[in-house]
Amino acid sequence: MNVAQDLAGRHAVVTGAGRGLGRAIAERLARSGAAITAIDLEGELAELPDTWKRIAIDLVAANAQDRLTEAATGHDRVDIIVANAGSVPPWRTVDTLDRTEWNQVMTLNVWAVAETLGAFTGHLARSSHASAILMASINGYRAHPKQVLYTASKHAVIGIMRAAALDLGSRGIRVNALAPGPVATDALRSRITARHRDGGPDLGEALNALADETALGRMATAENVADVAHFLASDAAAAITGCVFPVEAGLT
């Protein structure tokens, strides 16, 4: 392994680590030597590796900030934060938005990202290898029909990243964002299947159509996203902060 990408002796905290991109990223960091603390809902933590520390926090709950502060207090060191937890709401046009749904998604996709970074900033400032990675999306810089809420939330994540990079750079903390395109996680497959019941294309058709929209002729994978997260967490990215990294196989 390239020495600059060796994470031995470092500690990474990953939110939404129970499955999907969060789990893939945590697994990738662990393979490079990082100790892992996984934060997720109670039901998502049961099948994670025994070597990982697991902390159940509902990031939408009223006590989430207190629970994150407790989690931070319980660690001697944290070198890497991956604020990955988020959700994709049902498709709605701008004239059919639901306020309760809006507030819940914004709490998880935006506020929880900022409060996770804030809770662990003190630890990161004491690390000589501090890296924070925020989960945005291609919807953070482009838009799709019927995705007003999701698009707004991911634009906000990029704003948080850019401002936090300026706030924290003087303390030696790098802050960057990942912007994945469609990835065939269980969550995406479930959404496609649900839309098929409402008259949309079946799973195979939908995935093929997404692959056809890319320059590489395939969708990005969870492992592709995890590899970029690993790079950003490592010293190979020591001079990179305030940047958005698309991982989308060249969407046209």
Side-chain angles (χ1 to χ4, degrees), residues 16-210:
R19 58 177 175 159
L21 295 181
R23 180 159 184 172
I25 290 170
E27 289 174 344
R28 182 67 184 88
L29 300 182
R31 287 199 302 273
S32 295
I36 302 296
T37 291
I39 294 177
D40 211 326
L41 297 172
E42 182 73 47
E44 302 291 347
L45 296 172
E47 297 183 6
L48 296 181
D50 292 337
T51 54
W52 296 5
K53 183 174 182 178
R54 291 169 279 185
I55 302 176
I57 301 178
D58 181 353
L59 292 171
V60 179
N63 69 345
Q65 192 164 19
D66 290 339
R67 295 283 291 116
L68 283 168
T69 300
E70 289 175 14
T73 302
H75 289 89
D76 293 330
R77 65 174 294 171
V78 174
D79 307 280
I80 302 158
I81 289 290
V82 183
N84 162 77
S87 66
V88 180
W91 287 1
R92 297 182 188 275
T93 55
V94 71
D95 57 332
T96 60
L97 296 175
D98 178 87
R99 184 168 185 167
T100 299
E101 180 180 80
W102 182 280
N103 290 338
Q104 184 170 24
V105 171
M106 282 294 190
T107 298
L108 180 58
N109 286 12
V110 182
W111 171 246
V113 168
E115 71 176 345
T116 298
L117 179 55
F120 288 93
T121 290
H123 285 291
L124 292 172
R126 293 190 293 273
S127 171
S128 57
H129 306 279
S131 175
I133 301 163
L134 313 185
M135 186 59 73
S137 162
I138 58 168
N139 283 75
Y141 54 85
R142 60 187 292 181
H144 295 89
K146 300 182 180 179
Q147 295 185 28
V148 176
L149 171 52
Y150 186 68
T151 298
S153 73
K154 293 304 182 178
H155 272 65
V157 169
I158 291 177
I160 291 169
M161 178 274 294
R162 288 176 172 153
L166 297 174
D167 281 348
L168 302 179
S170 63
R171 301 171 72 178
I173 302 170
R174 297 184 295 107
V175 188
N176 294 289
L178 293 171
V183 177
T185 59
D186 289 343
L188 177 63
R189 291 172 179 270
S190 295
R191 291 194 297 273
I192 291 172
T193 299
R195 291 168 192 153
H196 176 57
R197 290 194 292 268
D198 294 330
D202 66 25
L203 180 62
E205 291 173 322
L207 293 179
N208 287 337
L210 290 170

